[in-house]
Amino acid sequence: MSDPLLVVDQLTMHFPVRKGLLRRVVGAVRAVDNVSFSIARGQTLGLVGESGCGKTTVGRSILRLLPPTAGSVHFDGLDVLAQSPRALRAMRRRMQIVFQDPYGSLNPRLSVRSILEEGLIVHRMGDAAERLHRMTTALDRTGMQAGCLDRYPHEFSGGQRQRIAIARALVLEPDFLVLDEPISALDVSIQAQVVNLLVTLREDLGLTYLFISHDLSVIEYVSDHVAVMYLGRIVEQSPAERLYAEPLHPYTLALFSAVPSIDPARRRGRIVLPGDVPSPSRPPSGCRFHPRCPLAETICRDIDPPGVTVDGHLVHCHVAARELDRAGGNASSAALRMAELVAKTLDKSASEDSLASPSH
Ligand code: SF4
């Protein structure tokens, strides 16, 4: 990737599980395991997956809001995890986060002025007049007026609060934003406005985004690259266009099948996965997706599939790797074959079900 601003390598985050009076560690919740990716300057990586798959933990670990168990994070060539508290504070000015819930993320006791000014004071950015200029500029960029500076969060709608939260991040003139489900708590009617605002800001200010969402349509709209997560791991990663045209991993195929499309070429039969996502405190052996995968084979239970990359399209799946090999590295043919295999398996199990339970 040309000129990456952020490089995440083998990032791992395990939370200890404690029990008993002595609070002994009896296990670990493996929220994130060996996650690697990079984001080029001015680009957006979309991180997608079901809730609880570890997306939010990845975003927070990158900013060291949670201390990772292992792995490395480099921002603009600097090792984020090795920074002293003082150096980290300086770095945080350049790496900001916008949280999902604009109700919870803004202190209801503080005016918008205090909320925006807090970071400027901490980072010693300008005198009072300059701080005011920075605050009104940030508000203007997010479509809010300077008149709201002396009002309180409860006086605004959800969409306006999220604009204020974005202004709070922008006021520090960052280079990189983690957008953690920035629209999922908003009314559907204003989600598109906030997404368009984020896209415009990225272009105007040359920002770089990690955009976390469970919504595949939003991720497609905003992302240059997409990484799909399942149970703490990235299972597929590729330039966005290619991933949406040629998904290779059975889990990605299942996610796509649940998205309604008006384009007949993109309509896919619905793949309903059996069971629930297993607990990250006891992840399945081998491929973590095997208990729910329609294509699971014996090898999938025993061996964790290594990553295979073709033209920047990475997939962790034994069957997809075999199909890529058979197709001579042609991802389009392999993707077609994967979709056929999944459809065939589902048809077969549907006909077996109907034979097993004949109607009386
Ligand atoms: Fe399914 Fe096996 Fe591929 Fe995992 S490795 S996604 S279980 S086919």
Side-chain angles (χ1 to χ4, degrees):
M1 180 176 287
S2 63
D3 192 19
L5 179 66
L6 185 84
V7 180
V8 175
D9 190 29
Q10 305 281 304
L11 187 73
T12 299
M13 183 74 216
H14 294 174
F15 297 99
V17 176
R18 295 175 192 277
K19 265 198 181 155
L21 270 179
L22 299 175
R23 312 297 299 150
R24 283 216 180 92
V25 176
V26 293
V29 174
R30 302 161 72 105
V32 174
D33 251 330
N34 295 323
V35 161
S36 301
F37 57 80
S38 49
I39 313 179
R41 256 170 239 276
Q43 296 224 324
T44 299
L45 175 78
L47 193 56
V48 70
E50 291 165 290
S51 17
C53 71
K55 312 181 292 290
T56 291
T57 308
V58 168
R60 291 178 190 200
S61 305
I62 286 171
L63 302 181
R64 249 176 83 181
L65 297 176
L66 294 170
T69 312
S72 69
V73 179
H74 284 84
F75 175 74
D76 207 6
L78 297 169
D79 185 345
V80 176
L81 307 184
Q83 300 298 307
S84 66
R86 192 176 171 166
L88 182 65
R89 200 164 56 231
M91 193 180 259
R92 285 235 180 93
R93 183 195 68 71
R94 301 179 61 200
M95 305 168 82
Q96 289 290 304
I97 183 165
V98 175
F99 296 99
Q100 171 179 357
D101 178 12
Y103 296 88
S105 69
L106 301 178
N107 187 336
R109 290 191 194 89
L110 297 182
S111 65
V112 174
R113 182 189 299 273
S114 304
I115 288 168
L116 298 191
E117 202 168 26
E118 196 175 19
L120 293 170
I121 293 170
V122 167
H123 292 283
R124 299 196 177 97
M125 290 174 74
D127 56 18
E130 197 183 329
R131 288 202 296 272
L132 181 64
H133 175 68
R134 283 177 193 269
M135 288 189 285
T136 51
T137 306
L139 285 172
D140 185 50
R141 285 209 166 105
T142 58
M144 299 295 288
Q145 290 175 350
C148 73
L149 275 174
D150 293 316
R151 293 166 64 191
Y152 287 79
H154 72 268
E155 298 177 58
F156 297 96
S157 67
Q160 289 171 324
R161 285 186 213 203
Q162 198 59 310
R163 285 171 190 270
I164 293 166
I166 296 167
R168 173 176 58 184
L170 291 184
V171 83
L172 298 173
E173 296 177 4
D175 301 296
F176 171 67
L177 291 186
V178 172
L179 301 162
D180 186 5
E181 299 267 12
I183 59 159
S184 54
L186 306 180
D187 283 351
V188 176
S189 57
I190 46 169
Q191 288 184 349
Q193 292 173 17
V194 175
V195 168
N196 286 331
L197 169 69
L198 289 166
V199 170
T200 309
L201 288 171
R202 189 192 86 166
E203 279 159 19
D204 291 352
L205 304 175
L207 296 167
T208 304
Y209 289 165
L210 173 65
F211 198 111
I212 297 170
S213 178
H214 64 275
D215 186 328
L216 279 162
S217 310
V218 172
I219 287 287
E220 181 178 20
Y221 182 63
V222 300
S223 306
D224 299 289
H225 278 72
V226 177
V228 181
M229 274 191 85
Y230 181 80
L231 205 56
R233 295 244 169 106
I234 288 180
V235 295
E236 186 162 14
Q237 194 177 161
S238 152
E241 234 172 75
R242 210 169 309 154
L243 187 94
Y244 281 76
E246 300 161 357
L248 286 166
H249 197 281
Y251 177 62
T252 314
L253 283 161
L255 285 182
F256 283 163
S257 78
V259 180
S261 175
I262 52 166
D263 178 358
R266 293 181 72 170
R267 260 181 234 150
R268 301 172 167 106
R270 179 82 200 263
I271 301 168
V272 181
L273 297 175
D276 294 322
V277 181
S279 164
S281 57
R282 269 178 296 134
S285 61
C287 171
R288 290 187 177 187
F289 187 53
H290 87 253
R292 305 176 76 202
C293 180
L295 302 184
E297 302 176 353
T298 311
I299 187 177
C300 305
R301 279 175 216 122
D302 302 331
I303 299 175
D304 192 12
V308 175
T309 307
V310 176
D311 295 334
H313 189 155
L314 165 80
V315 63
H316 287 265
C317 170
H318 293 299
V319 176
R322 195 167 61 217
E323 292 305 326
L324 275 168
D325 196 37
R326 276 192 187 142
N330 183 326
S332 304
S333 310
L336 212 60
R337 180 78 183 131
M338 289 300 287
E340 280 170 12
L341 284 174
V342 171
K344 247 192 231 166
T345 316
L346 292 174
D347 285 351
K348 195 170 152 224
S349 53
S351 60
E352 279 168 6
D353 282 355
S354 65
L355 282 175
S357 53
S359 54
H360 294 290

